Amino acid sequence: MVLVCKQFPLLSKCLKLQRLCSESPESSNHQIVQLPDFPGGIEAFELCAKFCYGITITLSALNIVSARCAAEYLQMTEDVEKGNLIYKLEVFFNSCVLQGWKDNIVTLQSTKAFPSWAEDLGITSKCIESIASKVLAHPLKINLSHSYSRRGRDEVSCNGGESQRHKPTSKGWWAEDIAELTIDLYWRTMIAIKSGGKVPSNLIGDALRIYASRWLPRVSKNMNIDKQEESDTDSHTIGDITSKHRRLLESIVGLLPAEKGAVSCSFLLKLLKAANILRASSDSKMELARRVGIQLEEAIVSDLLIPNLSYINDTIYDVDIVMTILEQFMIQGQSPPTSPPRAKEDFERRRSRSAENVDFEFQESRRSSSASHSSKLKVAKLVDGYLQEAAQDVNLSLSKFISLAEAVPEFARLDHDDLYRAIDIYLKAHSGLSKSERKRLCRVLDCKKLSMEACMHAAQNELLPLRVVVQVLFFEQARAAMAGGQVTELPSNIKALLATHDDSSKPTASLSTNATGLADDQWSVSGLKSPKSKLSTLRMKLAEDDLDENFSDGIGNSSRIKALSTLPNRPKRLFSKLWSINRSASEKN
């Protein structure tokens, strides 16, 4: 800024101008003084000049920072003249701006135009302390801010989350207002609020969700933001945008409360999607994966479909991060499915406690382990649903599919229908699998846990190995025979096959074979013992090489029925009788 100086009232209140004019070599009445890097520009200088000439000036939260910085630059202190501009601005700042809520936030936001000046003058720190003190004084107060209900900006949350339009006014009345702050100011404000220890963690989490939905909508909705904006934006600008959002996301992750349930699992997974898109640091990804694993039972399949942007493999979804999440879920130290009863000695040693207290603790332990068991059941359904989506990817390797399927405890799958659907989808998408690979894939399937509909589908599924089809038919027809009363007494070996195996304490076994059988063809059927008589004969028949070699990938139903003729006499009679029943029922339909 260039200023032509004369002997006028401006000099009487500005020490800076007095020194510059006195140092000027020119002796004329007109002197040119340069004011480089003048904070606030022409508007701020005009405000200071009006004050010097006694003209009324208007101060507000919008111009208080620029006016204060300009007055400091011109050195309009009390040493120059009593009641100078700096003094009056300080009075207005302390008595008006810091006492209000919205003015406080607007002032803090305006400091981003003069970061070093505002920091040195203490404006930034005073605004942050004032905002935090108001939140801590009334963390649950409602209707102090009306902006939450007034705005519709949160209609699209991070990665397409649910709309807030129809939600009631949030108890975190302050969250929407401070979401207007830039990430540096927001970080410092949230740290000050959290350090007070009076705001519940769920309100902190809700504030972070609102902030993420305010600043990350574009990144969350576009999977390939870099490619989409490349046509009309240069690469340098794109890099700046991505770097800015990456830093913002990592800051949000660093602010997440430590308590479980402070933020929803859905929100954590949306942050994880954004982290993949923005190529955030591995530490941020692992922290999000750990937090998701703690409350994985809350997730839905669509949340787990995290896009894979890695150059190492070409899978559509990031299966590795889902596997990491599952590992985190399994190592959370959850209780076993059932709690062991207290020993009698434990009750005798703790005579000081009443029977009611001991019983209460026992019930709480049972309730905790029941919740743990329930969460594993939910996660098992979730994993099977995810496998059905991921199985459609032709680039998903067999080992990753099997690893995901086996990551869930066996007791958590009450039925294997969803797992069977995932296997069927994988077989259709990977038609080039060899016979041994198809056998390896189907080992994760327990035919005894298939429903009637799944068994009917599997019996006609030409993509399954013949061994699986025979097992499905055997178990289903034997159960149908017992249920229909057509067979009053089954042999002991078949009863062993049909025995329930819900008790996880029983050892897991597989159909056995003798020395001539194929060792790599054992099928995991938990809770089964190895009968020796007719079951061994069935096992040997199924293990013969010529049985599998005579069936190509396109075997028909008639060929499968012929294969059943090699079964032992008693199972053969069962199959023939029950097969005719099913056929007559299908003809009636």
Side-chain angles (χ1 to χ4, degrees):
M1 178 179 291
V2 178
L3 177 66
V4 178
C5 284
K6 296 172 65 178
Q7 297 296 330
F8 52 75
L10 185 62
L11 293 177
S12 64
K13 297 179 184 296
C14 302
L15 183 61
K16 178 81 170 180
L17 295 180
Q18 293 178 16
R19 291 176 178 175
L20 290 175
C21 289
S22 63
E23 294 172 359
S24 176
E26 300 182 13
S27 58
S28 62
N29 292 332
H30 294 80
Q31 296 177 342
I32 298 177
V33 177
Q34 293 186 354
L35 304 176
D37 302 326
F38 187 84
I42 297 175
E43 293 80 5
F45 183 83
E46 183 181 1
L47 189 147
C48 295
K50 286 182 177 180
F51 174 80
C52 294
Y53 278 97
I55 301 174
T56 303
I57 61 175
T58 301
L59 295 175
S60 68
L62 295 172
N63 65 2
I64 181 64
V65 177
S66 60
R68 179 66 179 84
C69 295
E72 187 70 23
Y73 184 91
L74 295 174
Q75 299 177 2
M76 303 176 70
T77 63
E78 292 295 289
D79 296 335
V80 179
E81 184 177 296
K82 291 295 182 180
N84 212 342
L85 184 57
I86 290 180
Y87 169 77
K88 293 185 179 296
L89 290 176
E90 284 292 331
V91 172
F92 175 78
F93 178 70
N94 292 321
S95 62
C96 296
V97 174
L98 293 183
Q99 300 306 314
W101 169 254
K102 294 300 291 289
D103 287 344
N104 212 330
I105 294 176
V106 172
T107 302
L108 179 59
Q109 183 74 335
S110 64
T111 60
K112 66 181 180 181
F114 319 98
S116 58
W117 280 95
E119 198 67 50
D120 293 340
L121 295 174
I123 299 175
T124 304
S125 59
K126 289 180 181 178
C127 287
I128 291 174
E129 292 173 2
S130 176
I131 293 172
S133 65
K134 290 176 174 59
V135 173
L136 294 172
H138 308 283
L140 301 178
K141 187 175 181 179
I142 302 177
N143 294 330
L144 182 61
S145 168
H146 301 282
S147 60
Y148 191 90
S149 59
R150 184 171 66 244
R151 294 170 184 154
R153 183 175 293 120
D154 200 34
E155 292 179 9
V156 181
S157 62
C158 181
N159 282 299
E162 66 279 0
S163 172
Q164 301 295 324
R165 178 182 301 174
H166 303 294
K167 292 186 70 173
T169 304
S170 174
K171 289 185 178 180
W173 52 269
W174 44 271
E176 180 74 8
D177 289 327
I178 67 171
E180 298 296 326
L181 300 174
T182 56
I183 186 59
D184 292 331
L185 298 175
Y186 185 83
W187 169 274
R188 294 174 60 181
T189 304
M190 289 299 294
I191 290 295
I193 292 174
K194 292 178 66 177
S195 62
K198 295 182 179 180
V199 180
S201 60
N202 64 314
L203 294 187
I204 297 291
D206 188 60
L208 294 175
R209 180 191 56 77
I210 291 174
Y211 191 79
S213 65
R214 169 67 177 87
W215 294 101
L216 290 176
R218 288 184 303 158
V219 177
S220 63
K221 293 178 65 176
N222 300 327
M223 294 296 185
N224 300 314
I225 184 174
D226 294 355
K227 296 181 180 178
Q228 291 180 358
E229 296 187 357
E230 189 173 2
S231 58
D232 54 357
T233 310
D234 57 19
S235 58
H236 178 72
T237 304
I238 293 174
D240 291 342
I241 294 174
T242 304
S243 176
K244 173 185 175 182
H245 284 114
R246 183 189 305 118
R247 180 166 156 269
L248 188 147
L249 184 139
E250 291 174 352
S251 299
I252 293 176
V253 173
L255 289 171
L256 290 172
E259 294 81 2
K260 177 182 177 180
V263 293
S264 67
C265 185
S266 176
F267 174 63
L268 292 172
L269 284 166
K270 288 167 186 174
L271 289 180
L272 191 53
K273 285 184 182 180
N276 255 19
I277 296 170
L278 296 171
R279 295 181 174 87
S281 65
S282 57
D283 291 340
S284 296
K285 290 183 181 180
M286 286 303 300
E287 175 64 13
L288 287 171
R290 184 188 69 81
R291 290 177 178 269
V292 171
I294 294 176
Q295 49 195 97
L296 183 58
E297 66 274 11
E298 302 172 11
I300 58 177
V301 174
S302 59
D303 290 336
L304 286 178
L305 300 180
I306 302 172
N308 180 33
L309 301 179
S310 173
Y311 297 105
I312 300 177
N313 54 66
D314 299 326
T315 55
I316 299 175
Y317 303 117
D318 194 338
V319 180
D320 293 332
I321 195 67
V322 174
M323 193 67 200
T324 302
I325 292 172
L326 278 172
E327 292 173 354
Q328 293 296 322
F329 171 76
M330 296 307 300
I331 64 175
Q332 291 308 314
Q334 299 181 8
S335 304
T338 56
S339 298
R342 285 183 183 268
K344 184 177 180 181
E345 292 77 8
D346 293 339
F347 291 99
E348 294 178 352
R349 282 197 300 266
R350 303 192 177 189
R351 295 181 181 274
S352 60
R353 294 188 178 184
S354 64
E356 291 78 6
N357 289 337
V358 173
D359 183 67
F360 175 77
E361 290 183 0
F362 178 71
Q363 294 299 331
E364 286 297 312
S365 176
R366 291 294 299 270
R367 187 179 297 110
S368 174
S369 78
S370 176
S372 170
H373 181 71
S374 175
S375 65
K376 287 186 172 123
L377 296 180
K378 293 177 181 178
V379 169
K381 297 288 289 185
L382 177 68
V383 170
D384 290 347
Y386 177 81
L387 285 173
Q388 293 177 32
E389 295 292 334
Q392 304 174 43
D393 186 2
V394 295
N395 293 319
L396 179 63
S397 66
L398 179 63
S399 59
K400 287 187 176 181
F401 183 95
I402 295 176
S403 297
L404 276 173
E406 293 179 341
V408 179
E410 187 174 357
F411 73 85
R413 284 191 177 96
L414 300 181
D415 65 75
H416 277 217
D417 283 14
D418 290 335
L419 181 59
Y420 167 72
R421 293 188 187 97
I423 292 175
D424 181 55
I425 294 172
Y426 190 87
L427 289 172
K428 291 176 180 176
H430 301 76
S431 57
L433 289 178
S434 64
K435 187 197 317 181
S436 60
E437 288 174 330
R438 285 188 289 125
K439 289 181 178 180
R440 180 185 167 198
L441 172 65
C442 292
R443 283 194 180 98
V444 300
L445 188 66
D446 188 346
C447 299
K448 290 182 63 179
K449 290 187 176 183
L450 294 178
S451 66
M452 175 78 69
E453 292 77 12
C455 287
M456 291 177 62
H457 186 280
Q460 304 177 56
N461 193 343
E462 298 180 355
L463 298 175
L464 294 176
L466 177 62
R467 189 177 306 276
V468 178
V469 177
V470 172
Q471 284 189 14
V472 168
L473 290 173
F474 181 85
F475 291 131
E476 185 57 32
Q477 300 291 5
R479 277 197 295 259
M482 288 296 295
Q486 298 184 16
V487 178
T488 58
E489 185 69 20
L490 286 177
S492 58
N493 54 351
I494 298 180
K495 284 184 177 180
L497 280 174
L498 299 179
T500 58
H501 49 285
D502 295 333
D503 187 0
S504 58
S505 63
K506 291 183 180 180
T508 300
S510 58
L511 296 177
S512 62
T513 184
N514 55 16
T516 60
L518 298 178
D520 59 346
D521 285 340
Q522 292 180 350
W523 296 91
S524 343
V525 179
S526 62
L528 300 184
K529 297 182 179 180
S530 302
K532 298 181 179 180
S533 58
K534 297 183 179 180
L535 178 60
S536 299
T537 306
L538 172 62
R539 185 68 179 83
M540 294 173 61
K541 288 289 184 181
L542 294 177
E544 293 178 357
D545 293 338
D546 57 349
L547 182 62
D548 281 344
E549 295 297 333
N550 290 333
F551 291 91
S552 62
D553 290 339
I555 37 181
N557 293 335
S558 61
S559 302
R560 294 187 183 274
I561 296 173
K562 291 179 181 180
L564 297 178
S565 62
T566 61
L567 297 175
N569 293 332
R570 180 67 69 97
K572 179 179 177 182
R573 289 196 298 271
L574 286 175
F575 278 118
S576 60
K577 182 181 299 182
L578 295 167
W579 190 270
S580 60
I581 294 174
N582 287 345
R583 183 183 304 173
S584 60
S586 61
E587 290 175 355
K588 291 180 181 179
N589 294 334

